[in-house]
Amino acid sequence: MRKGGSTLASVFDVANFFIEVSPAFDDNMTQMKLYKMLYYAQGWSLVKLGRPLFDDEIQAWDYGPVPQKARGKYARYSRDTITQVDPGYNPDVFTDEEESLLFDVARKYGKYTAPALSTMTHVPGGPWDRAYRKGNNSVIDLQEMKEYFSHREGELQSFDELIAKKEILPGRDKDGCMVLPEDMFN
């Protein structure tokens, strides 16, 4: 159980994680990119952890999957870069297992642009495609996400394995900001 009794992280905690590590990416963290990163984190969590990572439903919109609570908060950014995490964000909310998964997702998908990620989510027969109804914003079924991602399990390289092999460790600088190994995204 987490602080406050919740069994799931908040979608905002996960969003803050990706915003915090986004300077390591070659691309800006826009709302569109953030939504896709959240989608991939949720999908891989269903497979790797056997449960949802966060507490937000994801809907199938025209440009891909969109977590609803996150949209309510981040839509105001439009195409602007989101650079600041929430003042109350505490990365310690994640279990070691969840943090490892988030690094894996960041490493795999953080290098792509928002439009590229959007295109990647539109794969025929994928969860977005199966739920999408123009103008309807249907909820993407978690079981369909789990089935889809379970067939791609070898695509997500474990950050823990990279740490073990290369002896690289993420950490925090004197100001408490996340510092990632330079070769993490290569």
Side-chain angles (χ1 to χ4, degrees), residues 46 140-148:
L46 293 166
I140 298 175
D141 183 72
L142 291 179
Q143 187 58 39
E144 286 191 20
M145 286 179 69
K146 183 175 183 175
E147 288 173 22
Y148 174 79

Side-chain angles (χ1 to χ4, degrees), residues 11-25 27-30 33-42 53-54 74 82-83 85 89 94 98-99 101-110 178 180 185:
V11 69
F12 304 118
D13 289 327
V14 179
N16 279 310
F17 175 90
F18 288 129
I19 293 165
E20 183 178 36
V21 301
S22 67
F25 305 158
D27 191 45
N28 296 326
M29 183 60 71
T30 62
K33 182 169 184 169
L34 182 60
Y35 301 157
K36 305 320 171 245
M37 298 293 290
L38 292 167
Y39 166 78
Y40 281 112
Q42 188 76 306
L53 179 62
F54 56 80
Y74 298 106
I82 305 168
T83 58
V85 298
Y89 168 61
F94 301 113
E98 291 167 339
E99 187 175 66
L101 174 81
L102 290 170
F103 277 119
D104 295 345
V105 170
R107 184 173 192 279
K108 170 76 176 175
Y109 300 101
M178 182 70 67
L180 300 174
F185 292 91

Side-chain angles (χ1 to χ4, degrees), residues 1-3 8-10 13-14 89-95 98:
M1 289 283 248
R2 297 177 193 286
K3 299 170 194 152
L8 298 178
S10 149
D13 289 327
V14 179
Y89 168 61
N90 181 355
D92 293 335
V93 70
F94 301 113
T95 65
E98 291 167 339

Side-chain angles (χ1 to χ4, degrees), residues 87-176:
Y89 168 61
N90 181 355
D92 293 335
V93 70
F94 301 113
T95 65
D96 291 343
E97 185 176 57
E98 291 167 339
E99 187 175 66
S100 179
L101 174 81
L102 290 170
F103 277 119
D104 295 345
V105 170
R107 184 173 192 279
K108 170 76 176 175
Y109 300 101
K111 60 189 169 193
Y112 296 106
T113 64
L117 288 171
S118 181
T119 299
M120 291 164 59
T121 64
H122 284 64
V123 63
W128 174 88
D129 183 55
R130 294 173 62 106
Y132 180 69
R133 303 292 174 270
K134 188 164 182 68
N136 192 9
N137 302 338
S138 303
V139 174
I140 298 175
D141 183 72
L142 291 179
Q143 187 58 39
E144 286 191 20
M145 286 179 69
K146 183 175 183 175
E147 288 173 22
Y148 174 79
F149 283 92
S150 68
H151 293 297
R152 283 145 188 81
E153 198 161 353
E155 294 178 13
L156 190 67
Q157 191 173 21
S158 170
F159 188 61
D160 285 339
E161 290 173 18
L162 293 172
I163 290 172
K165 289 178 187 173
K166 295 184 175 185
E167 299 181 7
I168 57 174
L169 294 172
R172 295 193 175 274
D173 66 14
K174 64 179 176 48
D175 298 321

